[in-house]
Amino acid sequence: MNPEIENKIVARGQEFFKSIAGEAPSIFSKGHWTGKVMDWAMKNEDFKVQLFRFVDVLPYLNTGESLQRHIEEYFAGNDCEIPAVLKWGAEKSGLFGGLAAKVMGKAIRGNIEGMAKQFIIGENSKEAMKSLRKLRKDGFAFVVDFLGEATVSEIEAQAYHDGYMEILDAMAAEQHKWDCLGKSSNGQDWGHAPKVNVAVKLSAFYSQAKPQDIPGSVAGMLTRIVPIYRKIKAMGGFMCIDMEQLKYKEMTIELFKQLRTMDEFKDYPHLGIVLQSYLRDTENDLDGLLSWARANSLPISIRLVKGAYWDFETVMAKQCGWDVPVWTQKPESDICYERCARKILENHDICHFACASHNIRTFSYVMETARELNVPDSRYEFQVLYGMAEPVRKGLKNVAGRVRLYCPYGDLLPGMAYLVRRLLENTANESFLRQSFAEGKELERLLENPALTLKREQECSPVTHPAKRPSYGNLPPFKNYQLIDFTIPEVRAAFPKAIAEARKSKGKTYPLYINGKDVATQDRMTSTNPADPDEVLGQVCQAGRAEIDMAIEAADKAFLSWRDMPAEKRAEYLVKAAAIARRRIYDLCAVQVLEVGKQWDQAYNDVGEAIDFLEYYAREMVRLGTPRRMGFEPGEHNHLFYQAKGVAAVIAPWNFPLAISVGMASAAIVAGNPVIYKPAGPSSIVGYGLVEIFREAGLPEGVFNFCPGRSSVMGDYLIEHPKVSLIAFTGSMEVGLRIQEKAAKVQPGQAQCKRVIAEMGGKNAIIVDDDADLDEAVLGVLYSAFGFQGQKCSACSRVIVVEPIYERFIERLAEAAKSVKIGPAEDPANYMGPVVGPAQQKDILKYIDIAKQEGEVLVMREVPQKGCYVPMTIVAGIRPEHRIAQEEIFGPVLAVMKAKDFDQAIEWANASRFALTGGVYSRSPRHLEQARREFRVGNLYLNRNCVGALVERQPFGGFKMSGVGSKAGGPDYLLQFLDPRVVTENTMRRGFTPIEDDDNWVC
Amino acid sequence: MNPEIENKIVARGQEFFKSIAGEAPSIFSKGHWTGKVMDWAMKNEDFKVQLFRFVDVLPYLNTGESLQRHIEEYFAGNDCEIPAVLKWGAEKSGLFGGLAAKVMGKAIRGNIEGMAKQFIIGENSKEAMKSLRKLRKDGFAFVVDFLGEATVSEIEAQAYHDGYMEILDAMAAEQHKWDCLGKSSNGQDWGHAPKVNVAVKLSAFYSQAKPQDIPGSVAGMLTRIVPIYRKIKAMGGFMCIDMEQLKYKEMTIELFKQLRTMDEFKDYPHLGIVLQSYLRDTENDLDGLLSWARANSLPISIRLVKGAYWDFETVMAKQCGWDVPVWTQKPESDICYERCARKILENHDICHFACASHNIRTFSYVMETARELNVPDSRYEFQVLYGMAEPVRKGLKNVAGRVRLYCPYGDLLPGMAYLVRRLLENTANESFLRQSFAEGKELERLLENPALTLKREQECSPVTHPAKRPSYGNLPPFKNYQLIDFTIPEVRAAFPKAIAEARKSKGKTYPLYINGKDVATQDRMTSTNPADPDEVLGQVCQAGRAEIDMAIEAADKAFLSWRDMPAEKRAEYLVKAAAIARRRIYDLCAVQVLEVGKQWDQAYNDVGEAIDFLEYYAREMVRLGTPRRMGFEPGEHNHLFYQAKGVAAVIAPWNFPLAISVGMASAAIVAGNPVIYKPAGPSSIVGYGLVEIFREAGLPEGVFNFCPGRSSVMGDYLIEHPKVSLIAFTGSMEVGLRIQEKAAKVQPGQAQCKRVIAEMGGKNAIIVDDDADLDEAVLGVLYSAFGFQGQKCSACSRVIVVEPIYERFIERLAEAAKSVKIGPAEDPANYMGPVVGPAQQKDILKYIDIAKQEGEVLVMREVPQKGCYVPMTIVAGIRPEHRIAQEEIFGPVLAVMKAKDFDQAIEWANASRFALTGGVYSRSPRHLEQARREFRVGNLYLNRNCVGALVERQPFGGFKMSGVGSKAGGPDYLLQFLDPRVVTENTMRRGFTPIEDDDNWVC
């Protein structure tokens, strides 16, 4: 820290503040509704949440009734009174005496829309052009941003492209009429800057962008970006590529580079990119870009911002188990900003700098640094958001001259989303604007070097929120295995490599595994790649009754000593197995990609879930294995604990071939029950993965036995065997019920009533309410219905849409469905692949025929001829009585049902013999509450997709004909594998008893 | 508090101490083994516990092997080293260089026996006489106490009687040779006290004494006490009736009064009784005795003690849920002692006072008070225990002259028990002797007025041990309903009254109860009293299929709203029902006494358990009804909660006709499942009690339906009904397995896989190890096998006795069995009554025939001709393969098996298809630990009977063919009646999410 320049920065900042003394951004002006409401929101966190959520939903409230209902639901407290602050504007404006709800609703809507308009230059290009003219007259340059909803389909991407073309046309037509800003003789502002300056968000230009497919994503986006940039170049304008969420960062930089080096553009310097100083990685990215520019001798432009998705990135990282990618303390971002700014300024010969901020300290830093480094004015400018921090932009214009306003325009709907971001920014505790203008923090602090601020803050011990977690002996708390992070290049590279490696094992024969030894049989089953049935993956030995007898004998022999091993010891094996699975995760994924057609992420999720089961059940067993004192009376010790039941048959499905297999088997094993594991036929090679893992983990002989086989040969035999004490099954309802019935009959020689843990089918519905956020609902329904080809018991197979939003929703949904790519799972570009096998293909095709008869086909995607593909199908006009609404299809077939209102939607959702998962997209607090109570399924998801339950966080399983009411990955699951025991000891002898610390003793 | 006398007391106490300065009781003398060990025990609580327990078991260790093994088990730490302090004596005595275990064992045994001998005047009457002679020579009077084991049979009571007769004869022959103590010319000590003075413990003279039958108990004890007292009178001696545990207090006072007023004794004043100042009630008892003496003009004698069963009484009260009957702070007992002493001294004209204590403050108090009240020397004396506090007795003799030593004699076995009590007394933190002689507390404190001590102690906040209990919303923590306390006269009086009242309802017709209404049917069943089948109790309407349909329809109609009622509300109904049952407890008991032949206490336990179930499940449902957040990631709320399954069929047994019925029904109900309740035929009228309770509690219509009926008519129909979603059954294995099989078949129209909660039979074993405390084992086995005629699934039906103790055990057991009374349950004198009905009677008689063939009959008690009686049967020589060892008999038939060692005993105990309860009597820490691990039953009881599991403290239920591994009254029970649900809400909207306090957020 150079004290000299530091002093100058502070002095300049003080000067700046002085120049705007007494002024405040309109948003904080308490004389108006907005300021009043903001003030209240900053004092009252609950109100702030409700307000911002209400702003978000507002554009969907198309009727007075809907508007009033939501106002009530969001704001009425226990006494059903809307807070005075909300009414304040309305009352003050004298709109009403006896305040009618309708009038109030109108007033509130008007006020909020007014608030939005502060930040947006217009709802369409005409309004926008008008505003731009005015801004320029006031001496400000602009950069125009066209707001849009999330782009869920190609048709939407195209519309977004067209919107840009429209405003570009308008500007092209008009720019010559605009006076240049500053002193200029070359038709450019300040003598060097194009008048037309446009910002673009890449994700909006291509609906299929995803980090696991960067080349495809970049190519997709380029198709629509190139024509736009071409037009901009034609009019001599400037284009800046905005930075969005982290997952788009790499493709954004990649696209920037490709675009910048295209023949037609490489000599045209007016292309910018944005970097966000809140990302821990940003300095590296900056270094990369600068070297790239220098290496290619291509001047570039960088706009540096703090970043607008801090909450999102942090929450996502926490939810996914990733390292938090952003700086978690505000001064860290500021420090990073200053460091990057200095670096850009140092490279001003190759890099133009747009300093975007509202922080006066930052501006002062940049100005003083530029002066120190003798950076010419033409090499840097300042940017401020339109509608934000008016005093700052004014002061800045006075000091620096070159101020550009970031000017969004567009519909109210995306406008409100934009408004929420701006409100958040203004009201965050760490907001410079809030601190400066709402809280009047001392100048000294506001202008302080952020390194000092950080040091000071770190010295005050931070308030931590340690998660409340159950204790599990010596094991650290359970933590879900991280979800896949395709932003990491090594992760993306690992898949093709592992798949190629897996292909080397083609043709291998997979033996049974009994009593710790491989056992080969003559009867074999061929396993093939569903995307290419000609690709034989291997031969799998099939167990007959003799092998089942062998396996049961081995398990029974292993039982006593395994049962009696301390729970902590058994748990250790699972922890070891988890470590093995983590180490081998890509190999395990690759087999799934090839054998069952799982997409990369789907396969990774499956293996991750298997790891979670191992880690979670290990801990659960430690918890349950610790005897628990019951009652605390002196002289009496009662301990409740649990013991294994006996030999377990684990009968697994092919759809989560590793996760569910490992889940059921590891639960049985850690509880002390040796396992006979029968994988599903189509996923037998994946199933062999359990042999590899448990063998390496060193499980004693006979504790885990691998017995693939034909159900017709050994299914009933296994289930009815008198030595089998428990059966863990996941699969179809028909098979599940049959197992329950067979198992309930006690066989000669049977020692124990058999326990059947059965997870069966689903016919899961997602309800789309009339105020649902369609950006999310469309993608959520699509993923729930067609992820892994809909072959999940949790998959959405009915979407129940409330009438008012029906048309909008299904149009977007159908277009989204039409936009995705279909093909082999091993290509990450593909959204959907083949179903698991020819038998399943046939069944699903039959249902597609039924669907055609019962409803109206909205989407039926063509699919490759070769391979077990079935068309992605969406059929509308389905009613509860239809077969398509009742029978489990287990494939990519989605029934669309139009309900007259939310009540009917709930009723229909429940009108199934299944009760597994469900979903609701709604922004009505009352409807969400109603769904919580009345949408009766094992796993209900509000405002997200209905698949991908995580161990511990979403214990999984349903009831009715979906299962026996167990919950895999939940705290009650292991109990099913155990018999409880209680030992009571009378500790009193001869009237004398030791008194324990926890006795309920006399004082 | 009179300061003048207070000063005198302290001065006298100081004088007393001065007179014995430098002396210490031998037990604290650290130069000897005992003192060393005592010192270590007082410093180390664990060692003290082990030492006292070892002392207790020592007389059973008849072989060197057994002795060494126990020394190791009790004292060897992790490094298998016996503490030096134990070896110390042995080493010092130079017994060994390389210490052989055998030699050490011998030395330890010798040391402990030596310790015992300090407190006991001899092992037989000859030795005793010799000691008495010596004592008298030393100037001390005596009171002789003949130690005995607990008296478990009449033959033992007679032997105890005979023992007294023997020493009395010896003393009669010798007393004329003894010089009188003090100055005396009338042949009495000190001129007024008989030389022969004997203490008796009444409970030892009659094996069937019990507080619910005070007249019978007193009569039984008198038969043997009168001849003894007659002999004492004949020799001019004195008899003092010792006070034992509280449960004997009332009969002891009653016997004292009866004996004192008998024609042959009323003019003979030398009869004393003991009062214990640690009992809160003692002042009342003293007042009662004094008024009684005065009213009858009969002089009496009272020995006042502090009391020797403080730990026992406190622990029992805590375990039974009674008010603690003793003062919980030591000074309170001291205060009470002084108050009572003063009162006795004030009444010295009618009451002679024996002041028994070791507390110098107490002696000083008594002496000063006697002086103040001018009490003649002949009206009070001092008593000290033999072997205790030698300096005190010496000082006392110097000061007061009249000192009597309490002199126990008898076998080592009861001697060790006596030793434990003495060691406890010496080593208690509050012990005056410990404080005076081991800790050297300041005189000021030792002589302090206990009222001041109490005040000081209360001012220091006491360390409380609040019991750790789960929280249950607004309900107070769960507490078992108090067990019956027959020491309360109103409790005893309530039974005959309630039974008479119940008889008034004879001949009543009991309707079904469906949808909140009585429903009469034509088909009726007659319910009779099993003790007198001619006594018809009522007619019970029987449900047919039509009524089952009605009931299921009603339940199904009630389901939705009942399920959706908040858990707290449903719980309130149970709490209400519990209050009703508490209010009506004696009426509910009376019906059981008459209809199923439950003894008073058995009936009370049953109703108490019903109350516990109601209170416990209410709380459990509140606990489970509170949604539980799963995972703590920000932006995501996961809540796990539970919902009802549907209509429940509750099929109950007759043996715990209210408890199990209420347990299963209330669990179903509070979980939200309406109930069709089918009571067992023989207990239908008891079952109707549920109607009365739930109707009064105001359960909504259809939630509880009462459908008694014939299984052949409606059993399968109910079970197979598609609308029945869960079945809670308790009963025989055959029926239970049938239900499971039928229920597993899904019926057309069935919405849910049926859940069967089945508790079935048992073939429970108690193991008696070779070091078992037979006093407890005999009574525990007897009660476990024959309580309620053995008609409990938990009842002991096999006793497996380890060879070395076999003869001793079965002899005592057989004699005990022969001593109990058999007859109608309504007479509290009877230990065993009739079995529940003629069918059961027939079945059991069949098994008795088999028993005769397979084994050797040890006991077969004659029983009344009329009524459903079967002989109480004990058959020996049974081996695991015998039917009597394998089949559940459900009646008063006990198989005795002789195992060669503990391992074989465990093996045999487990060699059953059942696994319900079990018991072990052993004092081997290693065997107890082994049993904990290897004796595999649902409920194992160590060193107590194996019946009477309490809700929460002993969650009840077994596995193998005993049940499906549920545990009634435990924390997992309600889960079976519920389906889990998880609701996941994505709380992030537009990248913004409220952060919760318990979120796993960044710092």
Side-chain angles (χ1 to χ4, degrees), chain A residues 739-751:
Chain A
I739 289 175
Q740 285 183 60
E741 197 177 327
K742 298 239 167 236
K745 191 168 166 50
V746 173
Q747 303 292 333
Q750 185 176 326

Side-chain angles (χ1 to χ4, degrees), chain A residues 187-203:
Chain A
Q188 291 187 316
D189 288 336
W190 314 309
H192 64 271
K195 291 179 194 159
V196 170
N197 192 317
V198 175
V200 291
K201 291 201 166 45
L202 293 183
S203 73

Side-chain angles (χ1 to χ4, degrees), chain A residues 592-849:
Chain A
Q592 296 200 25
V593 172
L594 292 177
E595 193 180 33
V596 298
K598 283 227 165 191
Q599 289 75 18
W600 292 7
D601 51 348
Q602 301 278 356
Y604 194 93
N605 289 347
D606 183 84
V607 182
E609 191 178 356
I611 293 166
D612 283 355
F613 278 132
L614 290 164
E615 295 278 2
Y616 182 71
Y617 291 147
R619 284 161 178 79
E620 280 290 291
M621 192 61 230
V622 171
R623 178 174 69 84
L624 293 172
T626 309
R628 168 173 171 194
R629 182 169 181 193
M630 303 301 297
F632 295 92
E633 302 318 319
E636 173 186 284
H637 278 190
N638 306 293
H639 284 107
L640 171 65
F641 58 99
Y642 300 90
Q643 79 172 24
K645 282 176 170 284
V647 175
V650 171
I651 301 169
W654 48 259
N655 65 332
F656 288 93
L658 198 78
I660 296 183
S661 296
V662 165
M664 295 193 295
S666 64
I669 287 171
V670 80
N673 310 281
V675 160
I676 317 296
Y677 163 58
K678 179 196 172 305
S683 60
S684 297
I685 299 181
V686 176
Y688 190 76
L690 272 73
V691 176
E692 295 167 342
I693 291 169
F694 286 133
R695 182 160 47 195
E696 187 179 336
L699 271 189
E701 287 176 3
V703 171
F704 175 79
N705 301 281
F706 175 67
C707 292
R710 303 174 201 278
S711 297
S712 57
V713 175
M714 46 66 95
D716 288 352
Y717 187 73
L718 176 61
I719 291 155
E720 291 175 340
H721 201 291
K723 290 270 186 186
V724 166
S725 292
L726 71 101
I727 300 160
F729 166 81
T730 304
S732 74
M733 179 186 77
E734 290 71 22
V735 176
L737 296 183
R738 180 192 171 89
I739 289 175
Q740 285 183 60
E741 197 177 327
K742 298 239 167 236
K745 191 168 166 50
V746 173
Q747 303 292 333
Q750 185 176 326
Q752 175 101 3
C753 297
K754 290 182 189 180
R755 179 59 168 267
V756 180
I757 299 138
E759 291 297 324
M760 307 185 287
K763 187 71 200 178
N764 313 304
I766 292 180
I767 294 174
V768 179
D769 198 5
D770 58 8
D771 60 359
D773 180 343
L774 291 191
D775 287 358
E776 301 207 331
V778 168
L779 293 176
V781 168
L782 198 73
Y783 183 77
S784 303
F786 302 111
F788 189 43
Q789 297 77 264
Q791 300 171 122
K792 302 181 186 179
C793 43
S794 56
C796 171
S797 67
R798 298 180 290 155
V799 58
I800 305 174
V801 190
V802 172
E803 201 278 331
I805 209 165
Y806 182 80
E807 294 301 336
R808 271 171 75 195
F809 173 76
I810 61 164
E811 190 191 322
R812 292 191 73 185
L813 177 71
E815 286 303 331
K818 288 173 191 163
S819 303
V820 302
K821 294 195 173 171
I822 296 176
E826 63 183 296
D827 178 351
N830 291 324
Y831 189 92
M832 199 181 103
V835 299
V836 78
Q840 288 77 5
Q841 184 185 30
K842 212 176 117 191
D843 278 354
I844 299 165
L845 288 173
K846 218 166 54 195
Y847 273 110
I848 291 176
D849 280 343

Side-chain angles (χ1 to χ4, degrees), chain B residues 201-435:
Chain B
K201 290 200 167 49
L202 293 183
S203 73
F205 288 95
Y206 182 53
S207 64
Q208 304 302 307
K210 49 185 169 182
Q212 60 264 57
D213 178 27
I214 289 190
S217 302
V218 170
M221 298 186 298
L222 268 180
T223 4
R224 295 201 179 88
I225 281 292
V226 165
I228 286 173
Y229 191 46
R230 196 174 285 143
K231 186 179 283 261
I232 289 171
K233 183 187 165 200
M235 69 180 81
F238 185 100
M239 183 172 88
C240 183
I241 300 174
D242 277 359
M243 191 58 81
E244 305 174 69
Q245 296 95 321
L246 177 59
K247 70 174 169 178
Y248 296 122
K249 190 187 75 178
E250 195 175 343
M251 62 182 82
T252 301
I253 293 175
E254 177 60 25
L255 182 138
F256 173 80
K257 288 177 180 172
Q258 288 190 23
L259 192 62
R260 184 74 194 82
T261 47
M262 278 183 181
D263 278 346
E264 58 174 312
F265 300 127
K266 73 178 169 207
D267 295 329
Y268 188 73
H270 297 303
L271 184 66
I273 187 169
V274 176
L275 292 181
Q276 300 150 320
S277 76
Y278 68 7
L279 286 178
R280 290 170 194 267
D281 249 4
T282 278
E283 269 190 276
N284 289 334
D285 293 332
L286 175 59
D287 289 343
L289 276 168
L290 291 173
S291 340
W292 178 86
R294 226 167 260 295
N296 292 277
S297 301
L298 291 172
I300 59 174
S301 175
I302 291 176
R303 187 204 303 150
L304 188 64
V305 301
K306 298 271 160 74
Y309 305 91
W310 188 89
D311 292 76
F312 174 84
E313 301 292 4
T314 310
V315 168
M316 287 311 291
K318 282 284 177 188
Q319 288 191 5
C320 297
W322 301 331
D323 292 337
V324 176
V326 292
W327 301 110
T328 52
Q329 290 182 275
K330 176 65 163 48
E332 293 177 306
S333 296
D334 293 335
I335 294 167
C336 179
Y337 194 100
E338 294 191 0
R339 247 185 344 236
C340 290
R342 184 174 185 91
K343 194 170 280 181
I344 297 172
L345 290 171
E346 284 167 349
N347 288 275
H348 63 84
D349 60 319
I350 195 100
C351 187
H352 173 263
F353 179 35
C355 168
S357 178
H358 302 107
N359 184 321
I360 292 171
R361 152 84 199 182
T362 302
F363 293 138
S364 305
Y365 174 88
V366 166
M367 286 185 245
E368 286 305 323
T369 305
R371 177 174 297 183
E372 181 203 350
L373 297 171
N374 293 313
V375 180
D377 281 2
S378 65
R379 299 306 289 156
Y380 68 105
E381 65 177 42
F382 295 94
Q383 297 192 359
V384 178
L385 294 177
Y386 176 82
M388 291 272 283
E390 296 94 331
V392 176
R393 84 182 186 193
K394 184 182 139 193
L396 200 56
K397 187 163 146 271
N398 293 340
V399 185
R402 302 174 311 286
V403 180
R404 187 181 303 284
L405 303 184
Y406 188 93
C407 299
Y409 86 97
D411 278 351
L412 203 60
L413 203 156
M416 285 297 165
Y418 180 79
L419 173 60
V420 170
R421 277 211 297 282
R422 294 294 78 82
L423 293 180
L424 267 176
E425 204 168 328
N426 276 298
T427 58
N429 283 327
E430 305 80 8
S431 158
F432 183 87
L433 295 177
R434 172 174 177 169
Q435 292 176 349

Side-chain angles (χ1 to χ4, degrees), chain B residues 911-950:
Chain B
S912 160
R913 63 194 312 204
F914 297 106
L916 191 47
T917 74
V920 174
Y921 281 94
S922 173
R923 283 178 287 189
S924 154
R926 200 182 292 157
H927 285 178
L928 290 173
E929 201 39 52
Q930 184 183 356
R932 250 174 215 282
R933 288 192 315 270
E934 297 176 14
F935 190 162
R936 298 179 186 273
V937 288
N939 288 76
L940 179 67
Y941 297 91
L942 306 179
N943 289 321
R944 53 155 281 184
N945 65 60
C946 72
V947 293
L950 289 174

